Every structure is written in C-alpha cells, then in structure tokens.
Amino acid sequence: VVGCGIVFSERSIFFTRNGVHLGTAFTYDPTLTLLPTVGLHSPNEQLVLNFGAKPFAFDVRALEARSKANRYVQAARLPIGMPDMLRVVTDYCLRHGFADTFQLLQAEQAAGIGTMAAAGGTGAPAAAAPG
C-alpha cells in the first residue's frame, strides 16, 4: 500500500508504504494549485484509490498529534512569553474573524484551563491535555 499525504502547516508532501512514513518528499509553494495525480507504467495495470472513504493504512491522527506537539515546542522557543503569545493569538483570531476560537481562548484563560494553562504556561502540550 502506497500513500501520499500533505501537511499544510509545514507545506510538505510525504509518502508512506504499508503504513510507514517514508519522510518528507518535498516542500511546495503554497501559491500553486496542487492536484492529485497517478501515473501507471504498463497496459492493464490496476490500482485502487482511497481519498478517505476507508481508513488509511497510515495513522494520520498520530502524525497530526506529533505535528501539533512540534509546533508547541517551536512556539515555546520563541523569545516571547506565553502571556504575550496568548495576546498575539487572540488578537489574530479577533482581527481575522475567528470569533469562536477567540471566545474559547478567552473562556479557557478566564477559567485557567486549556492547552496553555494545562501546560503550566510554557507552551508545551500537557501530557493529559484533551485532543
């Protein structure tokens, strides 16, 4: 089973074989339009395509979790404190029309819950933080 995936947050394309991630194949220019394409070599070749109607052989959820954790680590390394980071994120949400996310962040901050609060304000994901 050969799979191909895209990680939009990293602008990267990857391949899998029998559910095993083979690494990043390349990064792409986000201004380009990407279209799924398959090439066959010989007459009478056959293949089955799965665009998500059936479970993938590769664990996409685990990749998403690792990618999310990596983004938290990268954010924690920025020379900005978490209170300032939270202000930047909430301001972005407010200015770009993400009202639901803005309200959720405000409610979590007021209640002292959520990913940033559960992580002790470090920006790293908490071990038992809900997904």
Side-chain angles (χ1 to χ4, degrees):
V1 175
V2 175
C4 181
I6 185 167
V7 180
F8 291 105
S9 63
E10 298 173 8
R11 299 176 179 165
S12 64
I13 307 287
F14 66 91
F15 289 95
T16 64
R17 182 170 181 233
N18 295 328
V20 177
H21 192 279
L22 300 177
T24 298
F26 57 91
T27 56
Y28 65 91
D29 179 348
T31 63
L32 299 176
T33 300
L34 301 176
L35 300 171
T37 305
V38 176
L40 299 176
H41 182 268
S42 303
N44 299 321
E45 287 184 324
Q46 296 180 8
L47 60 100
V48 176
L49 300 174
N50 176 13
F51 290 101
K54 297 178 184 178
F56 295 117
F58 176 70
D59 189 351
V60 176
R61 299 264 185 236
L63 176 66
E64 290 172 341
R66 286 191 307 272
S67 182
K68 182 178 180 179
N70 186 39
R71 286 192 305 272
Y72 276 108
V73 169
Q74 290 174 354
R77 290 181 181 151
L78 293 174
I80 183 172
M82 277 299 124
D84 292 330
M85 178 71 74
L86 184 59
R87 279 194 292 276
V88 168
V89 171
T90 54
D91 184 58
Y92 177 87
C93 291
L94 188 61
R95 291 180 186 273
H96 294 281
F98 296 101
D100 293 343
T101 304
F102 173 80
Q103 291 172 351
L104 178 64
L105 286 170
Q106 292 295 305
E108 287 183 349
Q109 186 180 18
I113 61 172
T115 305
M116 288 187 188
T122 65

